[in-house]
Amino acid sequence: MPDWLDTQLRWLQATPLGDAVRSAPFMYPTLEALHILGIALLVGPAFAFDLRLLGGGRRLMSVTTAARHLLPLSHVGLVVALATGVALMSAQPIVVAGSSAAPWKLGLLLLAGLNILVFHRGVYRRVGQWAKASATPIAARVAAGVSLTAWTGVIFAGRFLAYI
Ligand code: HEM
């Protein structure tokens, strides 16, 4: 592990947050439960939107209606998952970072984040032209496939953190 990362992780471990998560009764399992709720709120609406991009429910709603309803929920879930994830990690950051699942989790999180940026700055800017079309553009379907795969991978890597 590079020195700068080791220093950052030791700093996180020594913060009052790390102290509290290690020692306050029921704090760790409570954070785990909130982490899972955040993940559900992130992935549930995101996957429903991805399925709409792949053509599911196209007779029921336009892509823009789906986006307006689902994406704000997903963004709240992302904030909750990130905040509780950092809090969980603060208990034992060096142990967590030493897991072979950690680079997978971080890498797939970055891929999922990059995919959101590329989608919103790319094909979604022209959504007015295809929101009600019977087939969505290939770039939108690729973004949906990457999202489904990357978030699923983050969930697997998150579970594996405790085991490998
Ligand atoms: C900054 C972001 C995040 C950090 C630092 C983080 C860190 C952690 C830590 C430390 C654990 C506990 C591992 C253990 O029990 O030993 C965990 C569990 C988990 N994480 Fe994250 N996490 C983050 C975001 C996410 C996101 C966005 C997802 C999914 C979309 C996710 C999925 C999971 C899953 C499925 C578990 C297992 C939960 C359980 O079995 O209780 N994490 N995470």
Side-chain angles (χ1 to χ4, degrees), residues 12-78:
L12 179 60
Q13 185 162 318
T15 54
L17 177 69
D19 237 13
V21 178
R22 273 188 305 276
S23 53
F26 309 123
M27 179 80 137
Y28 197 88
T30 302
L31 283 169
E32 276 189 315
L34 294 174
H35 198 53
I36 292 169
L37 278 174
I39 295 162
L41 193 56
L42 157 68
V43 166
F47 281 14
F49 183 65
D50 292 336
L51 293 177
R52 175 61 191 84
L53 289 179
L54 292 173
R58 62 180 173 274
R59 287 191 204 90
L60 295 174
M61 75 198 121
S62 69
V63 170
T64 34
T65 302
R68 279 210 303 271
H69 181 51
L70 297 170
L71 298 187
L73 295 172
S74 193
H75 292 158
V76 172
L78 178 61

Tab-separated table of all heavy atoms in Angstrom, residues 12-78:
chain	number	residue	atom	x	y	z
A	12	LEU	N	-8.186	8.468	9.122
A	12	LEU	CA	-9.621	8.142	9.210
A	12	LEU	C	-9.907	7.290	10.454
A	12	LEU	O	-10.866	7.526	11.189
A	12	LEU	CB	-10.058	7.410	7.927
A	12	LEU	CG	-11.525	6.982	7.854
A	12	LEU	CD1	-12.463	8.181	7.946
A	12	LEU	CD2	-11.806	6.220	6.541
A	13	GLN	N	-9.017	6.326	10.701
A	13	GLN	CA	-9.198	5.421	11.847
A	13	GLN	C	-9.164	6.183	13.177
A	13	GLN	O	-9.868	5.828	14.118
A	13	GLN	CB	-8.082	4.371	11.812
A	13	GLN	CG	-8.217	3.315	12.873
A	13	GLN	CD	-7.382	2.085	12.533
A	13	GLN	OE1	-7.343	1.657	11.391
A	13	GLN	NE2	-6.705	1.543	13.509
A	14	ALA	N	-8.336	7.265	13.222
A	14	ALA	CA	-8.156	8.005	14.478
A	14	ALA	C	-9.210	9.103	14.676
A	14	ALA	O	-9.231	9.754	15.723
A	14	ALA	CB	-6.765	8.618	14.502
A	15	THR	N	-10.077	9.337	13.688
A	15	THR	CA	-11.094	10.402	13.836
A	15	THR	C	-12.114	10.000	14.917
A	15	THR	O	-12.278	8.802	15.197
A	15	THR	CB	-11.869	10.645	12.516
A	15	THR	OG1	-12.402	9.389	12.090
A	15	THR	CG2	-10.999	11.215	11.418
A	16	PRO	N	-12.838	10.978	15.489
A	16	PRO	CA	-13.906	10.661	16.455
A	16	PRO	C	-14.953	9.726	15.833
A	16	PRO	O	-15.542	8.897	16.531
A	16	PRO	CB	-14.519	12.027	16.769
A	16	PRO	CG	-13.457	13.023	16.423
A	16	PRO	CD	-12.640	12.427	15.321
A	17	LEU	N	-15.161	9.837	14.507
A	17	LEU	CA	-16.119	8.946	13.832
A	17	LEU	C	-15.667	7.495	13.963
A	17	LEU	O	-16.433	6.612	14.374
A	17	LEU	CB	-16.242	9.342	12.350
A	17	LEU	CG	-17.146	8.447	11.509
A	17	LEU	CD1	-18.608	8.619	11.911
A	17	LEU	CD2	-17.006	8.762	10.005
A	18	GLY	N	-14.382	7.251	13.629
A	18	GLY	CA	-13.841	5.890	13.724
A	18	GLY	C	-13.970	5.355	15.147
A	18	GLY	O	-14.390	4.209	15.367
A	19	ASP	N	-13.641	6.210	16.101
A	19	ASP	CA	-13.745	5.855	17.522
A	19	ASP	C	-15.160	5.439	17.880
A	19	ASP	O	-15.385	4.400	18.510
A	19	ASP	CB	-13.425	7.128	18.331
A	19	ASP	CG	-12.281	6.899	19.284
A	19	ASP	OD1	-11.612	5.860	19.128
A	19	ASP	OD2	-12.105	7.758	20.163
A	20	ALA	N	-16.129	6.281	17.456
A	20	ALA	CA	-17.536	6.040	17.806
A	20	ALA	C	-18.029	4.738	17.157
A	20	ALA	O	-18.703	3.937	17.804
A	20	ALA	CB	-18.384	7.223	17.342
A	21	VAL	N	-17.677	4.523	15.864
A	21	VAL	CA	-18.183	3.331	15.168
A	21	VAL	C	-17.600	2.061	15.804
A	21	VAL	O	-18.270	1.032	15.898
A	21	VAL	CB	-17.873	3.397	13.649
A	21	VAL	CG1	-18.347	2.141	12.932
A	21	VAL	CG2	-18.501	4.622	13.019
A	22	ARG	N	-16.361	2.164	16.304
A	22	ARG	CA	-15.748	0.994	16.960
A	22	ARG	C	-16.348	0.737	18.332
A	22	ARG	O	-16.524	-0.403	18.729
A	22	ARG	CB	-14.229	1.210	17.120
A	22	ARG	CG	-13.405	0.779	15.937
A	22	ARG	CD	-11.917	0.833	16.252
A	22	ARG	NE	-11.499	2.136	16.727
A	22	ARG	CZ	-11.174	3.163	15.949
A	22	ARG	NH1	-11.195	3.024	14.650
A	22	ARG	NH2	-10.805	4.316	16.469
A	23	SER	N	-16.694	1.819	19.066
A	23	SER	CA	-16.997	1.584	20.484
A	23	SER	C	-18.462	1.787	20.885
A	23	SER	O	-18.897	1.196	21.870
A	23	SER	CB	-16.086	2.445	21.356
A	23	SER	OG	-16.181	3.781	20.933
A	24	ALA	N	-19.237	2.604	20.161
A	24	ALA	CA	-20.618	2.828	20.607
A	24	ALA	C	-21.443	1.560	20.383
A	24	ALA	O	-21.360	0.952	19.318
A	24	ALA	CB	-21.229	4.003	19.843
A	25	PRO	N	-22.246	1.163	21.378
A	25	PRO	CA	-23.021	-0.069	21.236
A	25	PRO	C	-23.981	0.016	20.042
A	25	PRO	O	-24.612	1.053	19.835
A	25	PRO	CB	-23.811	-0.168	22.554
A	25	PRO	CG	-23.323	0.921	23.443
A	25	PRO	CD	-22.483	1.863	22.645
A	26	PHE	N	-24.052	-1.045	19.283
A	26	PHE	CA	-24.986	-1.195	18.146
A	26	PHE	C	-24.744	-0.230	16.987
A	26	PHE	O	-25.525	-0.187	16.041
A	26	PHE	CB	-26.456	-1.062	18.602
A	26	PHE	CG	-26.789	-1.943	19.761
A	26	PHE	CD1	-27.303	-1.416	20.931
A	26	PHE	CD2	-26.563	-3.315	19.681
A	26	PHE	CE1	-27.592	-2.233	22.011
A	26	PHE	CE2	-26.862	-4.143	20.759
A	26	PHE	CZ	-27.371	-3.600	21.924
A	27	MET	N	-23.671	0.557	17.048
A	27	MET	CA	-23.422	1.546	15.993
A	27	MET	C	-23.114	0.829	14.668
A	27	MET	O	-23.648	1.197	13.624
A	27	MET	CB	-22.250	2.438	16.418
A	27	MET	CG	-21.878	3.476	15.416
A	27	MET	SD	-22.993	4.856	15.518
A	27	MET	CE	-21.839	6.197	15.400
A	28	TYR	N	-22.225	-0.187	14.714
A	28	TYR	CA	-21.807	-0.834	13.460
A	28	TYR	C	-22.980	-1.522	12.747
A	28	TYR	O	-23.223	-1.254	11.562
A	28	TYR	CB	-20.637	-1.799	13.727
A	28	TYR	CG	-19.912	-2.174	12.461
A	28	TYR	CD1	-18.863	-1.397	11.976
A	28	TYR	CD2	-20.307	-3.281	11.715
A	28	TYR	CE1	-18.219	-1.716	10.788
A	28	TYR	CE2	-19.663	-3.614	10.528
A	28	TYR	CZ	-18.624	-2.830	10.072
A	28	TYR	OH	-17.993	-3.147	8.886
A	29	PRO	N	-23.753	-2.376	13.473
A	29	PRO	CA	-24.882	-3.012	12.769
A	29	PRO	C	-25.937	-2.010	12.313
A	29	PRO	O	-26.584	-2.211	11.268
A	29	PRO	CB	-25.458	-3.999	13.788
A	29	PRO	CG	-24.850	-3.639	15.095
A	29	PRO	CD	-23.569	-2.918	14.827
A	30	THR	N	-26.103	-0.901	13.057
A	30	THR	CA	-27.072	0.127	12.629
A	30	THR	C	-26.602	0.750	11.312
A	30	THR	O	-27.387	0.930	10.368
A	30	THR	CB	-27.211	1.225	13.717
A	30	THR	OG1	-27.611	0.592	14.924
A	30	THR	CG2	-28.217	2.288	13.326
A	31	LEU	N	-25.304	1.048	11.237
A	31	LEU	CA	-24.760	1.621	9.997
A	31	LEU	C	-24.871	0.632	8.844
A	31	LEU	O	-25.166	1.014	7.708
A	31	LEU	CB	-23.293	2.024	10.197
A	31	LEU	CG	-23.070	3.324	10.968
A	31	LEU	CD1	-21.595	3.469	11.339
A	31	LEU	CD2	-23.526	4.523	10.131
A	32	GLU	N	-24.651	-0.660	9.142
A	32	GLU	CA	-24.789	-1.677	8.085
A	32	GLU	C	-26.216	-1.690	7.546
A	32	GLU	O	-26.429	-1.766	6.327
A	32	GLU	CB	-24.433	-3.069	8.625
A	32	GLU	CG	-22.938	-3.346	8.598
A	32	GLU	CD	-22.634	-4.799	8.924
A	32	GLU	OE1	-23.225	-5.315	9.885
A	32	GLU	OE2	-21.826	-5.411	8.225
A	33	ALA	N	-27.200	-1.610	8.462
A	33	ALA	CA	-28.605	-1.608	8.028
A	33	ALA	C	-28.883	-0.370	7.165
A	33	ALA	O	-29.535	-0.463	6.111
A	33	ALA	CB	-29.518	-1.642	9.246
A	34	LEU	N	-28.356	0.804	7.587
A	34	LEU	CA	-28.571	2.031	6.801
A	34	LEU	C	-27.848	1.948	5.449
A	34	LEU	O	-28.335	2.452	4.437
A	34	LEU	CB	-28.095	3.262	7.588
A	34	LEU	CG	-28.902	3.567	8.854
A	34	LEU	CD1	-28.262	4.720	9.633
A	34	LEU	CD2	-30.348	3.914	8.505
A	35	HIS	N	-26.664	1.275	5.457
A	35	HIS	CA	-25.920	1.084	4.203
A	35	HIS	C	-26.789	0.277	3.221
A	35	HIS	O	-26.918	0.643	2.059
A	35	HIS	CB	-24.620	0.333	4.520
A	35	HIS	CG	-23.551	0.425	3.458
A	35	HIS	ND1	-23.101	1.611	2.939
A	35	HIS	CD2	-22.822	-0.549	2.828
A	35	HIS	CE1	-22.153	1.372	2.033
A	35	HIS	NE2	-21.970	0.063	1.948
A	36	ILE	N	-27.423	-0.771	3.736
A	36	ILE	CA	-28.255	-1.617	2.871
A	36	ILE	C	-29.488	-0.843	2.381
A	36	ILE	O	-29.868	-0.951	1.207
A	36	ILE	CB	-28.659	-2.910	3.609
A	36	ILE	CG1	-27.411	-3.778	3.816
A	36	ILE	CG2	-29.706	-3.696	2.825
A	36	ILE	CD1	-27.608	-4.950	4.748
A	37	LEU	N	-30.094	-0.025	3.267
A	37	LEU	CA	-31.239	0.789	2.820
A	37	LEU	C	-30.803	1.767	1.722
A	37	LEU	O	-31.512	1.961	0.736
A	37	LEU	CB	-31.823	1.579	3.999
A	37	LEU	CG	-32.790	0.815	4.897
A	37	LEU	CD1	-33.175	1.673	6.105
A	37	LEU	CD2	-34.039	0.431	4.114
A	38	GLY	N	-29.625	2.384	1.910
A	38	GLY	CA	-29.097	3.303	0.896
A	38	GLY	C	-28.888	2.575	-0.431
A	38	GLY	O	-29.249	3.081	-1.496
A	39	ILE	N	-28.323	1.359	-0.340
A	39	ILE	CA	-28.071	0.574	-1.562
A	39	ILE	C	-29.396	0.244	-2.259
A	39	ILE	O	-29.517	0.357	-3.484
A	39	ILE	CB	-27.313	-0.727	-1.205
A	39	ILE	CG1	-25.913	-0.394	-0.669
A	39	ILE	CG2	-27.206	-1.645	-2.410
A	39	ILE	CD1	-25.276	-1.546	0.101
A	40	ALA	N	-30.412	-0.134	-1.462
A	40	ALA	CA	-31.725	-0.466	-2.053
A	40	ALA	C	-32.297	0.752	-2.782
A	40	ALA	O	-32.798	0.634	-3.909
A	40	ALA	CB	-32.677	-0.940	-0.961
A	41	LEU	N	-32.192	1.921	-2.140
A	41	LEU	CA	-32.750	3.143	-2.730
A	41	LEU	C	-31.939	3.592	-3.948
A	41	LEU	O	-32.461	4.219	-4.863
A	41	LEU	CB	-32.752	4.244	-1.655
A	41	LEU	CG	-33.565	5.487	-1.953
A	41	LEU	CD1	-35.015	5.136	-2.251
A	41	LEU	CD2	-33.504	6.439	-0.752
A	42	LEU	N	-30.654	3.256	-3.960
A	42	LEU	CA	-29.806	3.570	-5.119
A	42	LEU	C	-30.111	2.630	-6.286
A	42	LEU	O	-30.398	3.053	-7.401
A	42	LEU	CB	-28.327	3.455	-4.706
A	42	LEU	CG	-27.278	3.201	-5.793
A	42	LEU	CD1	-27.162	4.411	-6.709
A	42	LEU	CD2	-25.918	2.917	-5.177
A	43	VAL	N	-30.039	1.337	-5.996
A	43	VAL	CA	-30.060	0.343	-7.071
A	43	VAL	C	-31.485	0.054	-7.576
A	43	VAL	O	-31.676	-0.156	-8.778
A	43	VAL	CB	-29.363	-0.946	-6.562
A	43	VAL	CG1	-29.630	-2.110	-7.460
A	43	VAL	CG2	-27.865	-0.709	-6.458
A	44	GLY	N	-32.481	0.080	-6.672
A	44	GLY	CA	-33.860	-0.206	-7.112
A	44	GLY	C	-34.298	0.733	-8.225
A	44	GLY	O	-34.535	0.298	-9.362
A	45	PRO	N	-34.370	2.052	-7.963
A	45	PRO	CA	-34.778	2.984	-9.008
A	45	PRO	C	-33.802	3.011	-10.192
A	45	PRO	O	-34.236	3.132	-11.344
A	45	PRO	CB	-34.793	4.344	-8.298
A	45	PRO	CG	-34.961	4.020	-6.857
A	45	PRO	CD	-34.256	2.715	-6.650
A	46	ALA	N	-32.480	2.881	-9.931
A	46	ALA	CA	-31.512	2.933	-11.050
A	46	ALA	C	-31.769	1.766	-12.008
A	46	ALA	O	-31.757	1.943	-13.231
A	46	ALA	CB	-30.076	2.903	-10.518
A	47	PHE	N	-32.009	0.573	-11.454
A	47	PHE	CA	-32.246	-0.583	-12.325
A	47	PHE	C	-33.581	-0.447	-13.069
A	47	PHE	O	-33.698	-0.840	-14.236
A	47	PHE	CB	-32.202	-1.886	-11.523
A	47	PHE	CG	-30.791	-2.367	-11.217
A	47	PHE	CD1	-29.694	-1.524	-11.395
A	47	PHE	CD2	-30.559	-3.649	-10.757
A	47	PHE	CE1	-28.397	-1.961	-11.119
A	47	PHE	CE2	-29.261	-4.098	-10.479
A	47	PHE	CZ	-28.184	-3.255	-10.646
A	48	ALA	N	-34.593	0.113	-12.393
A	48	ALA	CA	-35.885	0.318	-13.070
A	48	ALA	C	-35.679	1.279	-14.256
A	48	ALA	O	-36.220	1.062	-15.351
A	48	ALA	CB	-36.909	0.878	-12.089
A	49	PHE	N	-34.860	2.323	-14.042
A	49	PHE	CA	-34.584	3.265	-15.137
A	49	PHE	C	-33.786	2.573	-16.254
A	49	PHE	O	-34.068	2.760	-17.442
A	49	PHE	CB	-33.826	4.487	-14.597
A	49	PHE	CG	-33.561	5.528	-15.643
A	49	PHE	CD1	-34.613	6.204	-16.248
A	49	PHE	CD2	-32.260	5.834	-16.044
A	49	PHE	CE1	-34.373	7.161	-17.238
A	49	PHE	CE2	-32.018	6.785	-17.019
A	49	PHE	CZ	-33.081	7.452	-17.620
A	50	ASP	N	-32.783	1.759	-15.864
A	50	ASP	CA	-31.985	1.034	-16.863
A	50	ASP	C	-32.891	0.137	-17.719
A	50	ASP	O	-32.726	0.046	-18.939
A	50	ASP	CB	-30.906	0.185	-16.177
A	50	ASP	CG	-29.836	1.046	-15.518
A	50	ASP	OD1	-29.652	2.205	-15.952
A	50	ASP	OD2	-29.182	0.562	-14.579
A	51	LEU	N	-33.848	-0.532	-17.067
A	51	LEU	CA	-34.751	-1.416	-17.816
A	51	LEU	C	-35.608	-0.598	-18.783
A	51	LEU	O	-35.880	-1.036	-19.903
A	51	LEU	CB	-35.633	-2.226	-16.857
A	51	LEU	CG	-34.862	-3.251	-16.012
A	51	LEU	CD1	-35.795	-3.969	-15.044
A	51	LEU	CD2	-34.138	-4.281	-16.891
A	52	ARG	N	-35.995	0.630	-18.364
A	52	ARG	CA	-36.746	1.498	-19.291
A	52	ARG	C	-35.868	1.867	-20.495
A	52	ARG	O	-36.342	1.896	-21.632
A	52	ARG	CB	-37.233	2.767	-18.543
A	52	ARG	CG	-37.916	3.799	-19.453
A	52	ARG	CD	-39.169	3.226	-20.119
A	52	ARG	NE	-39.708	4.079	-21.178
A	52	ARG	CZ	-39.284	4.088	-22.442
A	52	ARG	NH1	-38.297	3.284	-22.839
A	52	ARG	NH2	-39.850	4.885	-23.334
A	53	LEU	N	-34.553	2.134	-20.218
A	53	LEU	CA	-33.635	2.456	-21.334
A	53	LEU	C	-33.505	1.266	-22.282
A	53	LEU	O	-33.267	1.433	-23.481
A	53	LEU	CB	-32.242	2.828	-20.808
A	53	LEU	CG	-32.106	4.174	-20.095
A	53	LEU	CD1	-30.672	4.380	-19.611
A	53	LEU	CD2	-32.520	5.335	-21.003
A	54	LEU	N	-33.649	0.056	-21.743
A	54	LEU	CA	-33.548	-1.143	-22.588
A	54	LEU	C	-34.886	-1.463	-23.280
A	54	LEU	O	-34.990	-2.452	-23.985
A	54	LEU	CB	-33.076	-2.346	-21.750
A	54	LEU	CG	-31.634	-2.241	-21.240
A	54	LEU	CD1	-31.315	-3.384	-20.272
A	54	LEU	CD2	-30.636	-2.255	-22.407
A	55	GLY	N	-35.897	-0.633	-23.033
A	55	GLY	CA	-37.167	-0.798	-23.765
A	55	GLY	C	-38.328	-1.245	-22.894
A	55	GLY	O	-39.482	-1.193	-23.342
A	56	GLY	N	-38.075	-1.674	-21.662
A	56	GLY	CA	-39.168	-2.130	-20.783
A	56	GLY	C	-40.094	-0.972	-20.427
A	56	GLY	O	-39.625	0.135	-20.178
A	57	GLY	N	-41.402	-1.221	-20.438
A	57	GLY	CA	-42.388	-0.209	-20.032
A	57	GLY	C	-42.492	0.969	-20.983
A	57	GLY	O	-42.997	2.026	-20.587
A	58	ARG	N	-42.051	0.809	-22.246
A	58	ARG	CA	-42.060	1.994	-23.135
A	58	ARG	C	-43.475	2.457	-23.467
A	58	ARG	O	-43.682	3.619	-23.796
A	58	ARG	CB	-41.234	1.747	-24.396
A	58	ARG	CG	-41.722	0.630	-25.265
A	58	ARG	CD	-40.828	0.477	-26.495
A	58	ARG	NE	-41.211	-0.702	-27.234
A	58	ARG	CZ	-40.754	-1.918	-26.970
A	58	ARG	NH1	-39.881	-2.107	-25.995
A	58	ARG	NH2	-41.165	-2.957	-27.663
A	59	ARG	N	-44.463	1.548	-23.373
A	59	ARG	CA	-45.846	1.983	-23.647
A	59	ARG	C	-46.450	2.685	-22.432
A	59	ARG	O	-47.457	3.354	-22.534
A	59	ARG	CB	-46.717	0.780	-24.035
A	59	ARG	CG	-46.374	0.288	-25.432
A	59	ARG	CD	-47.397	-0.722	-25.952
A	59	ARG	NE	-46.745	-1.532	-26.969
A	59	ARG	CZ	-46.108	-2.650	-26.724
A	59	ARG	NH1	-46.055	-3.130	-25.488
A	59	ARG	NH2	-45.513	-3.319	-27.694
A	60	LEU	N	-45.842	2.495	-21.272
A	60	LEU	CA	-46.398	3.076	-20.037
A	60	LEU	C	-45.892	4.479	-19.765
A	60	LEU	O	-46.622	5.326	-19.261
A	60	LEU	CB	-46.044	2.188	-18.838
A	60	LEU	CG	-46.655	0.799	-18.827
A	60	LEU	CD1	-46.105	-0.007	-17.673
A	60	LEU	CD2	-48.173	0.933	-18.724
A	61	MET	N	-44.592	4.713	-20.044
A	61	MET	CA	-44.051	6.048	-19.720
A	61	MET	C	-42.851	6.378	-20.596
A	61	MET	O	-42.124	5.476	-21.028
A	61	MET	CB	-43.675	6.129	-18.238
A	61	MET	CG	-42.418	5.398	-17.882
A	61	MET	SD	-42.316	5.083	-16.134
A	61	MET	CE	-42.197	3.304	-16.161
A	62	SER	N	-42.671	7.714	-20.796
A	62	SER	CA	-41.520	8.174	-21.575
A	62	SER	C	-40.260	8.047	-20.710
A	62	SER	O	-40.348	7.945	-19.471
A	62	SER	CB	-41.707	9.636	-21.975
A	62	SER	OG	-41.617	10.446	-20.826
A	63	VAL	N	-39.092	8.093	-21.370
A	63	VAL	CA	-37.817	8.029	-20.638
A	63	VAL	C	-37.707	9.228	-19.691
A	63	VAL	O	-37.229	9.099	-18.555
A	63	VAL	CB	-36.634	7.983	-21.636
A	63	VAL	CG1	-35.310	8.169	-20.917
A	63	VAL	CG2	-36.642	6.661	-22.392
A	64	THR	N	-38.206	10.402	-20.123
A	64	THR	CA	-38.077	11.588	-19.259
A	64	THR	C	-38.957	11.476	-18.014
A	64	THR	O	-38.536	11.866	-16.923
A	64	THR	CB	-38.403	12.884	-20.031
A	64	THR	OG1	-39.409	12.599	-20.987
A	64	THR	CG2	-37.212	13.442	-20.739
A	65	THR	N	-40.155	10.933	-18.153
A	65	THR	CA	-41.015	10.746	-16.965
A	65	THR	C	-40.333	9.777	-16.002
A	65	THR	O	-40.272	10.015	-14.785
A	65	THR	CB	-42.399	10.189	-17.388
A	65	THR	OG1	-42.968	11.092	-18.310
A	65	THR	CG2	-43.313	10.015	-16.196
A	66	ALA	N	-39.800	8.679	-16.548
A	66	ALA	CA	-39.108	7.689	-15.694
A	66	ALA	C	-37.931	8.364	-14.991
A	66	ALA	O	-37.723	8.183	-13.791
A	66	ALA	CB	-38.639	6.508	-16.549
A	67	ALA	N	-37.163	9.165	-15.733
A	67	ALA	CA	-35.976	9.811	-15.157
A	67	ALA	C	-36.379	10.763	-14.034
A	67	ALA	O	-35.764	10.769	-12.966
A	67	ALA	CB	-35.211	10.573	-16.238
A	68	ARG	N	-37.442	11.557	-14.281
A	68	ARG	CA	-37.842	12.549	-13.262
A	68	ARG	C	-38.303	11.881	-11.976
A	68	ARG	O	-38.091	12.383	-10.888
A	68	ARG	CB	-38.951	13.449	-13.816
A	68	ARG	CG	-38.411	14.562	-14.694
A	68	ARG	CD	-39.310	15.795	-14.629
A	68	ARG	NE	-40.681	15.475	-15.001
A	68	ARG	CZ	-41.130	15.523	-16.250
A	68	ARG	NH1	-40.330	15.884	-17.220
A	68	ARG	NH2	-42.379	15.231	-16.520
A	69	HIS	N	-38.949	10.731	-12.103
A	69	HIS	CA	-39.436	10.052	-10.914
A	69	HIS	C	-38.329	9.254	-10.215
A	69	HIS	O	-38.213	9.281	-8.986
A	69	HIS	CB	-40.589	9.115	-11.318
A	69	HIS	CG	-41.177	8.371	-10.161
A	69	HIS	ND1	-41.589	9.000	-9.015
A	69	HIS	CD2	-41.387	7.052	-9.961
A	69	HIS	CE1	-42.037	8.099	-8.158
A	69	HIS	NE2	-41.916	6.904	-8.703
A	70	LEU	N	-37.517	8.542	-11.009
A	70	LEU	CA	-36.607	7.552	-10.415
A	70	LEU	C	-35.230	8.097	-10.039
A	70	LEU	O	-34.674	7.719	-9.000
A	70	LEU	CB	-36.421	6.373	-11.398
A	70	LEU	CG	-37.696	5.580	-11.703
A	70	LEU	CD1	-37.460	4.608	-12.859
A	70	LEU	CD2	-38.154	4.812	-10.462
A	71	LEU	N	-34.656	8.965	-10.878
A	71	LEU	CA	-33.255	9.345	-10.632
A	71	LEU	C	-33.025	10.146	-9.350
A	71	LEU	O	-32.028	9.900	-8.660
A	71	LEU	CB	-32.666	10.031	-11.873
A	71	LEU	CG	-32.633	9.111	-13.124
A	71	LEU	CD1	-31.897	9.777	-14.280
A	71	LEU	CD2	-32.004	7.747	-12.812
A	72	PRO	N	-33.954	11.064	-8.947
A	72	PRO	CA	-33.718	11.746	-7.658
A	72	PRO	C	-33.685	10.757	-6.484
A	72	PRO	O	-32.877	10.910	-5.559
A	72	PRO	CB	-34.911	12.707	-7.546
A	72	PRO	CG	-35.362	12.930	-8.955
A	72	PRO	CD	-35.110	11.632	-9.664
A	73	LEU	N	-34.536	9.719	-6.518
A	73	LEU	CA	-34.525	8.712	-5.442
A	73	LEU	C	-33.178	8.013	-5.409
A	73	LEU	O	-32.575	7.784	-4.352
A	73	LEU	CB	-35.616	7.646	-5.685
A	73	LEU	CG	-37.063	8.133	-5.630
A	73	LEU	CD1	-38.012	7.028	-6.092
A	73	LEU	CD2	-37.399	8.542	-4.196
A	74	SER	N	-32.704	7.658	-6.612
A	74	SER	CA	-31.438	6.953	-6.719
A	74	SER	C	-30.275	7.807	-6.198
A	74	SER	O	-29.368	7.294	-5.533
A	74	SER	CB	-31.230	6.593	-8.200
A	74	SER	OG	-30.216	5.678	-8.323
A	75	HIS	N	-30.337	9.120	-6.464
A	75	HIS	CA	-29.262	10.002	-5.999
A	75	HIS	C	-29.248	10.090	-4.474
A	75	HIS	O	-28.177	10.105	-3.864
A	75	HIS	CB	-29.392	11.400	-6.629
A	75	HIS	CG	-29.133	11.365	-8.109
A	75	HIS	ND1	-29.581	12.329	-8.977
A	75	HIS	CD2	-28.489	10.459	-8.868
A	75	HIS	CE1	-29.212	12.009	-10.208
A	75	HIS	NE2	-28.544	10.878	-10.165
A	76	VAL	N	-30.442	10.110	-3.847
A	76	VAL	CA	-30.501	10.117	-2.370
A	76	VAL	C	-29.867	8.811	-1.852
A	76	VAL	O	-29.068	8.810	-0.909
A	76	VAL	CB	-31.964	10.253	-1.864
A	76	VAL	CG1	-32.030	10.074	-0.350
A	76	VAL	CG2	-32.537	11.611	-2.257
A	77	GLY	N	-30.217	7.690	-2.491
A	77	GLY	CA	-29.648	6.394	-2.087
A	77	GLY	C	-28.134	6.390	-2.203
A	77	GLY	O	-27.427	5.879	-1.318
A	78	LEU	N	-27.613	6.995	-3.274
A	78	LEU	CA	-26.153	7.033	-3.460
A	78	LEU	C	-25.492	7.799	-2.317
A	78	LEU	O	-24.486	7.349	-1.752
A	78	LEU	CB	-25.814	7.671	-4.821
A	78	LEU	CG	-24.323	7.820	-5.138
A	78	LEU	CD1	-23.619	6.464	-5.162
A	78	LEU	CD2	-24.105	8.530	-6.483
